[in-house]
Coordinates of all heavy atoms in Angstrom, one line a residue:
S104 N -16.6 -19.5 2.4 CA -15.2 -19.2 2.0 C -14.9 -17.8 2.0 O -15.9 -16.9 1.9 CB -14.9 -19.8 0.6 OG -13.6 -19.5 0.2
Y105 N -13.7 -17.4 2.0 CA -13.3 -16.0 2.2 C -13.1 -15.3 0.8 O -12.5 -14.2 0.7 CB -12.0 -15.8 3.0 CG -10.8 -16.5 2.4 CD1 -10.8 -17.1 1.2 CD2 -9.5 -16.5 3.1 CE1 -9.7 -17.7 0.7 CE2 -8.4 -17.1 2.6 CZ -8.5 -17.8 1.4 OH -7.4 -18.3 1.0
E106 N -13.6 -15.8 -0.3 CA -13.4 -15.2 -1.6 C -14.1 -13.9 -1.7 O -13.4 -12.9 -2.1 CB -13.8 -16.1 -2.7 CG -13.2 -17.5 -2.7 CD -11.7 -17.5 -3.0 OE1 -11.2 -16.4 -3.5 OE2 -11.0 -18.5 -2.8
A107 N -15.3 -13.8 -1.3 CA -16.1 -12.5 -1.4 C -15.5 -11.5 -0.4 O -15.4 -10.3 -0.8 CB -17.5 -12.7 -1.1
F108 N -15.1 -12.0 0.7 CA -14.4 -11.2 1.7 C -13.1 -10.6 1.2 O -12.8 -9.4 1.3 CB -14.2 -11.9 3.0 CG -13.6 -11.2 4.2 CD1 -14.1 -10.0 4.6 CD2 -12.4 -11.6 4.8 CE1 -13.5 -9.2 5.6 CE2 -11.7 -10.9 5.8 CZ -12.4 -9.7 6.2
S109 N -12.3 -11.4 0.4 CA -11.0 -11.0 -0.1 C -11.2 -9.9 -1.2 O -10.5 -8.9 -1.3 CB -10.3 -12.1 -0.6 OG -9.9 -13.1 0.4
L110 N -12.3 -10.1 -2.0 CA -12.7 -9.2 -3.0 C -13.0 -7.8 -2.4 O -12.6 -6.8 -2.9 CB -13.9 -9.8 -3.9 CG -14.3 -8.9 -5.0 CD1 -13.1 -8.8 -6.0 CD2 -15.5 -9.5 -5.7
F111 N -13.8 -7.8 -1.3 CA -14.1 -6.6 -0.6 C -12.8 -5.9 -0.1 O -12.7 -4.7 -0.2 CB -15.1 -6.9 0.5 CG -15.2 -5.8 1.5 CD1 -16.0 -4.7 1.2 CD2 -14.6 -5.9 2.8 CE1 -16.1 -3.6 2.1 CE2 -14.7 -4.8 3.6 CZ -15.4 -3.7 3.3
L112 N -11.9 -6.6 0.4 CA -10.7 -6.1 1.0 C -9.9 -5.5 -0.1 O -9.3 -4.4 0.0 CB -9.9 -7.2 1.7 CG -10.5 -7.7 3.0 CD1 -9.6 -8.9 3.5 CD2 -10.6 -6.6 4.1
V113 N -9.8 -6.1 -1.3 CA -9.0 -5.5 -2.4 C -9.6 -4.3 -2.9 O -8.8 -3.2 -3.0 CB -8.9 -6.6 -3.5 CG1 -8.3 -6.0 -4.8 CG2 -8.1 -7.8 -3.1
T114 N -10.9 -4.3 -3.2 CA -11.5 -3.1 -3.7 C -11.5 -1.9 -2.6 O -11.3 -0.8 -2.9 CB -12.9 -3.3 -4.2 OG1 -13.6 -4.0 -3.1 CG2 -13.0 -4.2 -5.4
G115 N -11.8 -2.3 -1.3 CA -11.7 -1.3 -0.3 C -10.3 -0.7 -0.1 O -10.2 0.5 0.1
A116 N -9.3 -1.5 -0.2 CA -7.9 -1.0 0.0 C -7.6 -0.1 -1.1 O -6.9 1.0 -0.9 CB -7.0 -2.3 0.1
F117 N -7.9 -0.4 -2.4 CA -7.6 0.4 -3.5 C -8.4 1.7 -3.5 O -7.9 2.8 -3.8 CB -7.9 -0.3 -4.9 CG -6.8 -1.1 -5.4 CD1 -6.7 -2.5 -5.2 CD2 -5.7 -0.4 -6.0 CE1 -5.6 -3.2 -5.7 CE2 -4.7 -1.1 -6.5 CZ -4.6 -2.5 -6.3
Y118 N -9.7 1.7 -3.0 CA -10.4 2.9 -2.9 C -9.8 3.9 -1.9 O -9.7 5.1 -2.1 CB -11.9 2.5 -2.6 CG -12.7 3.8 -2.4 CD1 -13.0 4.6 -3.5 CD2 -13.3 4.1 -1.1 CE1 -13.8 5.7 -3.4 CE2 -14.1 5.3 -1.0 CZ -14.4 6.0 -2.1 OH -15.1 7.2 -2.0
G119 N -9.5 3.3 -0.7 CA -8.8 4.0 0.3 C -7.5 4.7 -0.2 O -7.1 5.8 0.1
F120 N -6.8 3.9 -1.1 CA -5.5 4.3 -1.6 C -5.6 5.5 -2.5 O -4.9 6.4 -2.5 CB -4.8 3.2 -2.3 CG -3.4 3.4 -2.7 CD1 -2.4 3.3 -1.9 CD2 -3.2 3.7 -4.1 CE1 -1.0 3.5 -2.3 CE2 -1.9 3.9 -4.5 CZ -0.8 3.9 -3.6
F121 N -6.6 5.4 -3.3 CA -6.9 6.5 -4.3 C -7.3 7.8 -3.6 O -7.1 8.8 -4.1 CB -8.0 6.1 -5.3 CG -7.5 5.3 -6.5 CD1 -7.9 4.0 -6.6 CD2 -6.5 5.7 -7.3 CE1 -7.4 3.1 -7.6 CE2 -6.0 4.9 -8.3 CZ -6.6 3.6 -8.5
R122 N -8.0 7.6 -2.4 CA -8.4 8.8 -1.7 C -7.4 9.3 -0.6 O -7.7 10.2 0.1 CB -9.8 8.5 -1.1 CG -10.9 8.3 -2.0 CD -12.2 8.5 -1.4 NE -12.5 9.8 -1.0 CZ -13.6 10.3 -0.4 NH1 -14.6 9.5 -0.3 NH2 -13.7 11.6 0.0
S123 N -6.3 8.6 -0.6 CA -5.4 8.9 0.5 C -4.7 10.3 0.4 O -4.2 10.8 1.4 CB -4.3 7.8 0.6 OG -3.5 7.9 -0.7
R124 N -4.7 10.8 -0.7 CA -4.2 12.2 -0.9 C -5.1 13.2 -0.3 O -4.7 14.4 0.0 CB -4.0 12.6 -2.4 CG -2.8 11.7 -3.0 CD -2.5 12.2 -4.5 NE -1.5 11.4 -5.1 CZ -0.2 11.7 -4.9 NH1 0.1 12.7 -4.2 NH2 0.8 10.9 -5.5
E125 N -6.4 12.9 -0.1 CA -7.3 13.9 0.4 C -7.2 14.0 1.9 O -7.3 15.1 2.5 CB -8.8 13.4 0.1 CG -9.0 13.3 -1.4 CD -10.4 12.7 -1.7 OE1 -11.2 12.6 -0.8 OE2 -10.6 12.3 -2.8
H126 N -7.0 12.8 2.6 CA -6.9 12.9 4.0 C -6.1 11.6 4.5 O -6.2 10.5 3.9 CB -8.2 12.8 4.7 CG -8.2 13.3 6.1 ND1 -7.8 12.5 7.2 CD2 -8.6 14.5 6.6 CE1 -7.9 13.1 8.3 NE2 -8.4 14.3 8.0
T127 N -5.3 11.7 5.6 CA -4.4 10.7 6.1 C -5.3 9.5 6.5 O -4.9 8.4 6.5 CB -3.5 11.2 7.2 OG1 -2.8 12.3 6.8 CG2 -2.6 10.1 7.7
A128 N -6.5 9.8 7.0 CA -7.4 8.7 7.5 C -7.6 7.7 6.4 O -7.8 6.5 6.7 CB -8.7 9.3 7.9
W129 N -7.7 8.1 5.1 CA -8.0 7.1 4.0 C -6.7 6.3 3.9 O -6.8 5.1 3.4 CB -8.3 7.9 2.7 CG -9.7 8.4 2.7 CD1 -10.1 9.7 2.7 CD2 -10.9 7.6 2.6 NE1 -11.4 9.8 2.7 CE2 -12.0 8.5 2.6 CE3 -11.1 6.3 2.5 CZ2 -13.3 8.1 2.5 CZ3 -12.5 5.8 2.4 CH2 -13.5 6.7 2.4
L130 N -5.6 6.8 4.1 CA -4.3 6.1 4.0 C -4.3 5.0 5.1 O -3.9 3.8 4.9 CB -3.1 7.0 4.2 CG -1.7 6.3 3.9 CD1 -1.6 5.8 2.5 CD2 -0.6 7.4 4.2
V131 N -4.7 5.4 6.3 CA -4.8 4.4 7.4 C -5.8 3.3 7.1 O -5.6 2.1 7.3 CB -5.2 5.1 8.7 CG1 -5.4 4.1 9.8 CG2 -4.1 6.1 9.1
F132 N -6.9 3.7 6.5 CA -8.0 2.7 6.1 C -7.5 1.8 5.1 O -7.7 0.6 5.2 CB -9.2 3.6 5.6 CG -10.3 2.7 4.9 CD1 -11.2 2.1 5.8 CD2 -10.4 2.6 3.6 CE1 -12.2 1.3 5.3 CE2 -11.4 1.8 3.1 CZ -12.3 1.2 3.9
S133 N -6.7 2.3 4.1 CA -6.2 1.5 3.1 C -5.1 0.5 3.7 O -5.2 -0.7 3.3 CB -5.6 2.3 1.9 OG -5.0 1.5 0.9

Side-chain angles (χ1 to χ4, degrees):
S104 176
Y105 61 4
E106 301 296 342
F108 181 54
S109 298
L110 184 61
F111 165 74
L112 292 176
V113 169
T114 52
F117 270 101
Y118 179 67
F120 186 80
F121 279 116
R122 297 200 60 177
S123 63
R124 291 184 180 275
E125 301 173 11
H126 199 283
T127 305
W129 284 110
L130 187 63
V131 174
F132 174 79
S133 178

